[in-house]
């Protein structure tokens, strides 16, 4: 019997387009995924994949995103927005309402601000869980679930590989958070400082999570793209596709019988 393969998808904003390209390449090579996990933008890709949404259809939907259209730019004490664009897009694309009803087991990581811990969701409303996992602190308002406030899972677990161990034999990770040195930048504004601090914390916990993976794919070409590079989605999609093609033999080896 072939080994079950789990796919962990990290957060990384617009670079999730590369993960959609990766999914298309996996589909084209008949690689079956037995379980998905995702954080932030990766959680959105994970639920779409598990629900059987064509990666190119998903790309076309999110290709219209920008930092201006993705959010409702109304200020509050907790953040700038409630991610209305993502909510509407997921509503159009998904045919399943709850995580436990997806055809393929899917896990979503979000940070519980009240408890100061990561929470792995495997049940409940899909869109609510994805929004919680995607709420970058300072930029987006926390999501309230069962009386607790949740923000981006990337704070504590941007590459949710460990939770997949109970669902598969081997873990493939597609990380879209390469370490990027910022030689220039305006750090006089609280938003810039907050986002850079968040970025650094994310990079730190990704290194730890990689140890739980059997194969990690992290295209270096993504270094030149930011989390809000929504005008370059097609190019990142192609980068993701090519990254899988380059590693396809190693990926197939993961599923072979002993």
């Amino acid at each position: 019997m072939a080994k079950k393969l789990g796919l962990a998808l990290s957060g990384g904003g617009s670079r999730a387009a590369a993960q959609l390209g990766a999914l298309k390449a996996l589909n084209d090579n008949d690689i079956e995924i037995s379980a998905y996990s995702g954080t932030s933008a990766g959680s959105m890709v994970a639920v779409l994949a598990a629900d059987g949404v064509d990666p190119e259809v998903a790309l076309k939907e999110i290709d219209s995103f920008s930092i201006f259209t993705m959010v409702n730019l109304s200020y509050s004490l907790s953040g700038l927005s409630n991610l209305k664009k993502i909510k509407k897009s997921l509503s159009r694309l998904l045919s399943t309402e709850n995580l436990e009803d997806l055809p393929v087991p899917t896990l979503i990581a979000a940070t519980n601000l009240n408890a100061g811990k990561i929470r792995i969701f495997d049940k409940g409303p899909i869109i609510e869980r994805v929004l919680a996992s995607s709420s970058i602190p300072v930029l987006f308002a926390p999501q309230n679930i069962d009386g607790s406030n949740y923000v981006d899972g990337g704070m504590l677990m941007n590459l949710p590989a460990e939770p997949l161990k109970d669902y598969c034999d081997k873990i493939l990770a597609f990380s879209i958070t390469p370490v990027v040195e910022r030689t220039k930048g305006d750090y006089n504004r609280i938003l810039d400082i907050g986002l850079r601090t968040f970025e650094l914390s994310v990079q730190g916990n990704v290194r730890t999570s990689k140890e739980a993976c059997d194969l990690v794919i992290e295209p270096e070409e993504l270094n030149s793209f930011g989390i809000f590079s929504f005008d370059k989605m097609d190019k990142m999609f192609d980068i993701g596709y090519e990254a899988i093609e380059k590693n396809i033999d190693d990926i197939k080896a993961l599923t072979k019988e002993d």
Side-chain angles (χ1 to χ4, degrees):
M1 181 181 293
K3 293 181 179 178
K4 293 183 178 180
L5 183 64
L7 179 59
L9 300 168
S10 79
S14 64
R15 291 183 295 235
Q19 294 175 335
L20 290 173
L23 288 174
K24 177 172 171 51
L26 291 171
N27 292 340
D28 288 350
N29 285 280
D30 298 319
I31 302 297
E32 182 179 352
I33 302 300
S34 298
Y36 294 94
S37 66
T39 295
S40 198
S43 73
M44 181 176 181
V45 175
V47 298
L48 292 174
D51 205 33
V53 177
D54 185 283
E56 291 179 300
V57 172
L59 178 68
K60 185 176 181 180
E61 172 68 31
I62 67 175
D63 196 36
S64 62
F65 283 14
S66 74
I67 186 56
F68 300 106
T69 62
M70 185 177 68
V71 303
N72 173 31
L73 293 176
S74 57
Y75 287 83
S76 71
L77 292 177
S78 55
L80 290 178
S81 171
N82 57 8
L83 298 167
K84 283 187 175 181
K85 180 68 174 179
I86 291 179
K87 184 176 182 179
K88 289 181 179 179
S89 293
L90 286 174
S91 296
R92 284 193 289 265
L93 291 168
L94 291 169
S95 59
T96 305
E97 183 175 347
N98 294 307
L99 277 173
E100 64 268 30
D101 296 324
L102 285 169
V104 182
T106 305
L107 310 173
I108 294 177
T111 300
N112 185 319
L113 273 182
N114 299 79
K117 297 179 180 178
I118 196 72
R119 179 172 177 182
I120 305 300
F121 289 103
D122 60 358
K123 298 178 181 178
I126 294 173
I127 295 177
E128 179 185 66
R129 273 50 174 163
V130 170
L131 294 182
S133 181
S134 305
S135 295
I136 300 174
V138 180
L139 188 58
F140 302 128
Q143 303 293 312
N144 190 280
I145 299 177
D146 300 329
S148 293
N149 291 305
Y150 288 87
V151 294
D152 200 297
M155 286 186 65
L156 299 178
M157 187 182 285
N158 197 51
L159 184 63
E162 296 94 332
L164 280 175
K165 289 185 175 181
D166 293 333
Y167 294 82
C168 57
D169 302 306
K170 298 289 183 177
I171 298 174
L172 168 65
F174 198 98
S175 175
I176 53 174
T177 52
V179 178
V180 180
E181 181 178 352
R182 307 293 184 192
T183 56
K184 296 181 180 179
D186 180 6
Y187 295 120
N188 295 319
R189 296 180 300 178
I190 187 65
L191 181 59
D192 293 318
I193 296 171
L195 289 176
R196 181 56 173 168
T197 301
F198 174 73
E199 183 181 47
L200 293 174
S201 69
V202 163
Q203 291 169 353
N205 68 63
V206 164
R207 283 191 286 269
T208 301
S209 293
K210 286 179 179 178
E211 297 176 3
C213 304
D214 295 285
L215 178 62
V216 178
I217 298 176
E218 189 175 55
E220 292 183 0
E221 297 92 331
L222 294 177
N223 284 353
S224 59
F225 301 95
I227 61 174
F228 298 125
S229 297
F230 294 105
D231 58 334
K232 299 178 176 66
M233 303 283 273
D234 289 339
K235 187 170 184 179
M236 290 186 282
F237 184 94
D238 292 339
I239 289 173
Y241 188 97
E242 292 167 6
I244 293 296
E245 288 291 339
K246 290 177 182 176
N247 292 275
I248 195 60
D249 289 339
D250 290 335
I251 295 171
K252 288 181 177 179
L254 293 178
T255 63
K256 288 183 179 179
E257 300 178 32
D258 291 327

